[in-house]
């Protein structure tokens, strides 16, 4: 139960009342979403995650599995989401509104969505339409609405008491899987929402939660309830291809060029120019083209091209607008696809393009006159430069207890899904909010294939069958603190014949001294090391299996610069990133990388039996 007191009341006094076992602060939670870069209609992501192979070869669709979604509600009348509520044959058979549109005192009869987040999440799980195909379209659904349209500050937040009430109802309704795309940072596994989620797991419910979108803030940013014991915490990778509106640039020397633009249908800064308009680079008196000072270039009546950096997008827009520009085109300061910027309350048409395209246009504009046109109804298909890579906003572990913080990754960057019917019916959104429901749908398929699996077994199988994600900047794998075990592979998980316990190894304290017990090390070699034992169970009762193991090094990460200062990775104003080691793609000497060694990794495990493998890990 939740209680409100005056600021003078000491919480320890409440703990002294009879029947009170624990007192927690009632934390505020937010939706784990970010503005998306593009409108994505491609289904390449379903190929990369093994979903298409799962459907074609195994025929899995989520039938017979109940998925409960704790979110902002759902536009259940959307034709791709069933167009119904609790009628015979309807996918939506469970759910309730716990908050109402503006007050928890006035909940609505049904959890109709007014934000769009829950509708987008639901489409990722179970949509069945021509534009969006969910992971588990035949699952039985429940929606537990915990976010109102807006609160007193104009945002959409919920608190522990409401979210925990939704968890209790999902348990009562017999949900097999619960998906939560929400959270708060700075929490421990003993926080109220994390404990409640862990209790659901202990009662047999598979809980999937977004790890959070605070990756730009560095390490220790995994959200609660995702850090709860036994909860499947999900990070994000970028989509591989996309379909998006474009800017058409006319160059005397290069001809007609198509440049991808960031597009948000609800943005005040809608970048539309149906008639050709000049494009110029906006330089100031110091020669900077970042648009943070009044321009020395004449940009009146033209489109100003500026580079991201130094000042906020809102300041750039205000300066360009004051100088008489008709529009603002910002190009990124780092490679890859740009995020959707916020230009504040400025109404000048503005958008963002990639570093590659920006450099190209700046070079052309320096020697010739360019013009452009731009609409929102002409689309082209592009490949994402950073497709399949871990999304920059995806939160990092470890948890305060030094557990990993992220278990697995799934597509979360630029995901096209269902949206409110009165606001376009479809939209592209980004966030671990999009990755978590993808995994929830995948879990439904795994449960359909193997109904007897327990939550820990499902979590173990997902981790064991995931594919580590390569970091092109270092030549190693992305750190597990951000990517977990890697990209989900639904087919391998559904076909898995083994479980590994534990699925991750948290080393915490290590030993410094002679590395004994492994013949490959010389006696007396002083290193920092730890040993752990894995249980590998052959779940196939008819066939034996051979087990062999190898290992690969991943990025090492830190929250400090070389001079010992904390990294300032403030999103939108800095090009600093979380430092990794090694920081380049040059070959690294083998003796400087961490190593894993085992004497018994190559062994036969009979039908239904369990084998033990002891591994020795050495620090770099």
């Amino acid at each position: 139960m939740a209680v409100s007191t005056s600021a003078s009341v000491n919480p320890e006094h409440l703990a002294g009342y009879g029947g009170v076992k624990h007192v927690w602060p009632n934390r505020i939670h937010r939706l784990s979403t970010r503005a998306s870069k593009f409108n994505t209609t491609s289904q390449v992501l379903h190929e990369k995650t093994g979903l298409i192979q799962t459907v074609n070869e195994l025929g899995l669709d989520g039938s017979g599995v109940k998925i409960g979604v704790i979110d902002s509600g759902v536009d259940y009348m959307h034709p791709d989401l069933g167009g119904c509520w609790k009628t015979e044959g309807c996918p939506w058979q469970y759910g309730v509104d716990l908050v109402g549109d503006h007050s928890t005192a006035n909940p609505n009869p049904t959890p109709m969505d007014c934000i769009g987040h829950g509708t987008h999440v639901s489409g990722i799980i179970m949509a069945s339409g021509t534009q969006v195909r969910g992971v588990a379209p035949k699952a039985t659904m429940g929606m537990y609405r915990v976010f109102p349209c807006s609160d007193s500050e104009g945002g959409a937040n919920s608190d522990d008491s409401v979210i925990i009430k939704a968890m209790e109802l999902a348990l009562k309704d017999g949900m097999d899987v619960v998906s939560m795309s929400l959270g708060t940072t700075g929490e421990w596994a003993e926080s109220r929402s994390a404990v409640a989620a862990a209790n659901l797991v202990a009662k047999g419910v598979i809980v999937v939660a977004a790890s959070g979108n605070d990756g730009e803030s560095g390490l220790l940013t995994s959200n609660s309830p995702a850090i709860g014991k036994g909860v499947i915490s999900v990070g994000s990778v970028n989509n591989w291809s996309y379909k998006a509106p474009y800017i058409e640039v006319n160059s005397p020397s290069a001809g007609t060029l198509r440049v991808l633009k960031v597009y948000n249908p609800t943005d005040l800064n809608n970048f539309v120019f149906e008639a050709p308009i000049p494009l110029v680079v906006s330089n100031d008196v110091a020669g900077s083209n970042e648009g943070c000072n009044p321009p020395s270039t004449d940009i009146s009546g033209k489109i100003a091209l500026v580079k991201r950096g130094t000042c906020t997008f809102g300041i750039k827009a205000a300066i360009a607008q004051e100088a008489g520009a008709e529009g603002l085109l910002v190009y990124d300061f780092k490679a890859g696809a740009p995020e959707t910027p916020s230009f504040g309350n400025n109404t000048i048409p503005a958008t963002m393009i990639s570093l590659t395209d920006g450099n190209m246009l700046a070079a052309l504009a320096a020697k010739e006159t360019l013009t452009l046109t731009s609409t929102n109804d002409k689309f082209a298909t592009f490949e994402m430069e950073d497709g399949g890579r871990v999304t920059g906003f995806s939160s990092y572990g470890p948890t305060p207890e030094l557990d990993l913080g992220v278990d697995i990754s799934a597509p979360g960057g630029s995901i096209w899904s269902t949206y409110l019917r009165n606001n376009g019916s479809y939209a592209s959104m980004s966030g671990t909010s999009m990755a978590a429901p993808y995994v929830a749908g995948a879990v439904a398929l795994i449960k359909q294939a193997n109904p007897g699996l327990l939550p820990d077994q499902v979590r173990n199988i997902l981790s064991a069958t995931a594919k580590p994600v390569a970091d092109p900047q270092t030549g190693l794998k992305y750190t597990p603190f951000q990517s977990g075990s890697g990209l989900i592979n639904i087919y391998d998980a559904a076909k898995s014949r083994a479980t590994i316990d534990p699925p991750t190894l948290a080393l915490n304290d290590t030993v410094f001294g002679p590395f004994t017990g492994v013949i490959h090390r010389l006696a007396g070699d002083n290193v920092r090391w730890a040993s752990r034992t894995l249980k590998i169970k052959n779940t196939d009762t008819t066939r034996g299996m051979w087990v062999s193991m190898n290992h690969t090094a991943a990025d090492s990460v830190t929250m400090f610069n070389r001079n010992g200062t904390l990294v300032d990775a403030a999103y939108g104003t800095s090009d600093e990133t979380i430092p990794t080691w090694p920081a380049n793609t040059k070959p690294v000497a083998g003796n400087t990388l961490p190593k894993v060694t085992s004497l018994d990794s190559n062994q036969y495990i009979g039908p239904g039996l369990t084998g033990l493998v002891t591994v020795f890990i050495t620090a770099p």
Side-chain angles (χ1 to χ4, degrees):
M1 64 178 292
V3 297
S4 298
T5 68
S6 66
S8 62
V9 174
N10 188 331
E12 291 183 0
H13 295 165
L14 297 177
Y17 285 96
V20 176
K21 293 184 177 181
H22 204 295
V23 176
W24 286 277
N26 194 23
R27 300 289 189 188
I28 300 298
H29 292 254
R30 66 192 188 283
L31 296 166
S32 298
T33 188
R34 292 281 287 270
S36 184
K37 309 166 190 171
F38 313 112
N39 290 334
T40 305
T41 56
S42 171
Q43 295 299 293
V44 174
L45 77 167
H46 288 332
E47 296 177 0
K48 299 290 187 178
T49 61
L51 176 61
I52 291 179
Q53 186 179 11
T54 303
V55 172
N56 291 342
E57 294 187 20
L58 306 180
L60 300 176
D61 55 13
S63 295
V65 180
K66 296 180 181 179
I67 304 177
V69 181
I70 298 176
D71 212 290
S72 67
V74 59
D75 187 348
Y76 48 79
M77 294 307 296
H78 195 297
D80 290 3
L81 301 178
C84 56
W85 181 253
K86 292 187 178 181
T87 56
E88 185 177 353
C90 180
W92 299 98
Q93 292 295 324
Y94 302 92
V96 65
D97 183 356
L98 295 173
V99 292
D101 290 346
H102 303 288
S103 170
T104 55
N106 296 292
N108 296 321
T110 64
M112 177 58 76
D113 190 7
C114 56
I115 298 175
H117 186 275
T119 299
H120 196 275
V121 162
S122 298
I124 292 170
I125 295 175
M126 50 73 66
S128 181
T130 57
Q131 290 209 44
V132 181
R133 200 276 189 193
V135 180
K138 295 297 183 180
T140 301
M141 301 297 298
M143 172 59 73
Y144 305 88
R145 185 186 180 203
V146 297
F147 289 94
C149 298
S150 63
D151 58 20
S152 59
E153 298 180 354
N157 294 311
S158 189
D159 61 45
D160 282 339
S161 63
V162 177
I163 293 169
I164 292 172
K165 178 64 175 177
M167 292 189 209
E168 292 172 344
L169 292 173
L171 176 64
K172 181 179 179 182
D173 289 339
M175 295 295 115
D176 300 300
V177 186
V178 167
S179 178
M180 290 187 282
S181 293
L182 50 86
T184 186
T185 57
E187 297 288 280
W188 293 64
E190 290 78 19
S191 68
R192 194 178 178 200
S193 63
V195 169
N199 288 341
L200 270 187
V201 173
K203 292 183 179 295
V205 181
I206 303 168
V207 180
V208 182
S211 68
N213 301 328
D214 302 292
E216 288 96 354
S217 297
L219 303 180
L220 301 166
T221 52
S222 292
N223 284 197
S224 176
I227 61 174
K229 300 297 183 183
V231 176
I232 300 172
S233 177
V234 185
S236 168
V237 300
N238 290 321
N239 210 335
W240 288 265
S241 62
Y242 49 84
K243 192 172 185 178
Y246 57 88
I247 299 168
E248 198 165 81
V249 179
N250 184 49
S251 161
S253 63
T256 301
L257 305 169
R258 286 183 175 182
V259 175
L260 173 73
K261 70 174 181 177
V262 172
Y263 168 57
N264 183 351
T266 63
D267 200 344
L268 292 172
N269 314 95
N270 207 359
F271 196 83
V272 174
F273 296 92
E274 295 185 358
I277 186 169
L279 170 68
V280 297
V281 177
S282 178
N283 292 312
D284 63 20
V285 293
S288 171
N289 69 338
E290 291 183 330
C292 298
N293 296 300
S296 58
T297 309
D298 178 17
I299 62 173
S300 179
K302 304 170 185 176
I303 304 298
L305 177 66
V306 302
K307 189 174 184 179
R308 178 182 177 182
T310 303
C311 61
T312 66
F313 296 115
I315 291 175
K316 296 177 190 290
I319 290 174
Q321 191 166 319
E322 179 68 20
E326 290 294 320
L328 178 67
L329 194 60
V330 182
Y331 65 99
D332 211 346
F333 53 37
K334 63 181 186 298
E339 298 285 343
T340 299
S342 173
F343 294 100
N345 295 322
N346 302 288
T347 56
I348 182 174
T351 190
M352 195 167 176
I353 61 176
S354 71
L355 173 62
T356 300
D357 288 338
N359 285 336
M360 174 188 66
L361 294 181
L364 290 171
K367 63 181 182 180
E368 60 190 33
T369 300
L370 303 180
T371 60
L372 67 77
T373 58
S374 176
T375 66
N376 289 335
D377 56 3
K378 293 181 179 180
F379 289 76
T381 300
F382 300 84
E383 290 186 5
M384 290 187 74
E385 295 179 32
D386 53 359
R389 300 181 192 175
V390 174
T391 316
F393 59 68
S394 196
S395 285
Y396 286 82
T399 70
E401 292 92 345
L402 299 184
D403 289 327
L404 200 57
V406 183
D407 292 306
I408 197 168
S409 295
S414 300
I415 305 300
W416 182 255
S417 186
T418 48
Y419 204 65
L420 302 178
R421 287 170 297 138
N422 62 3
N423 199 4
S425 293
Y426 302 93
S428 181
M429 298 177 71
S430 291
T432 53
S433 271
M434 288 60 252
Y438 200 95
V439 172
V443 168
L445 303 188
I446 295 168
K447 281 287 287 183
Q448 180 186 3
N450 305 280
L453 289 177
L454 299 175
D456 281 349
Q457 292 175 311
V458 173
R459 182 167 171 257
N460 292 1
I461 288 171
L462 286 173
S463 293
T465 55
K467 309 303 179 188
V469 183
D471 181 351
Q473 292 185 322
T474 65
L476 302 179
K477 305 300 182 183
Y478 278 101
T479 172
F481 285 136
Q482 192 181 27
S483 65
S485 297
L487 177 65
I488 188 172
N489 188 294
I490 304 172
Y491 181 81
D492 286 354
K495 293 279 289 182
S496 175
R497 296 175 51 210
T499 60
I500 302 176
D501 186 34
T504 60
L505 299 177
L507 300 184
N508 297 329
D509 293 332
T510 54
V511 176
F512 184 78
F515 193 76
T516 58
V518 180
I519 58 175
H520 304 297
R521 280 278 183 176
L522 296 177
D525 192 8
N526 286 327
V527 293
R528 187 165 293 284
W529 62 280
S531 65
R532 296 290 187 271
T533 299
L534 298 171
K535 294 180 180 179
I536 303 178
K537 180 176 176 57
N538 180 1
T539 56
D540 191 329
T541 58
T542 61
R543 294 179 293 171
M545 61 190 299
W546 279 96
V547 174
S548 62
M549 298 182 65
N550 56 29
H551 74 280
T552 182
D555 294 339
S556 294
V557 290
T558 177
M559 61 179 68
F560 296 98
N561 293 308
R562 291 180 182 270
N563 62 5
T565 60
L566 282 170
V567 173
D568 176 18
Y571 176 71
T573 61
S574 170
D575 59 358
E576 289 193 72
T577 57
I578 309 306
T580 61
W581 181 92
N584 54 54
T585 56
K586 295 178 182 178
V588 178
N591 60 2
T592 66
L593 293 174
K595 285 183 168 32
V596 181
T597 310
S598 176
L599 296 179
D600 47 8
S601 62
N602 197 356
Q603 63 174 283
Y604 176 81
I605 302 176
L609 300 180
T610 299
L612 300 179
V613 177
T614 300
V615 294
F616 298 83
I617 304 107
T618 59

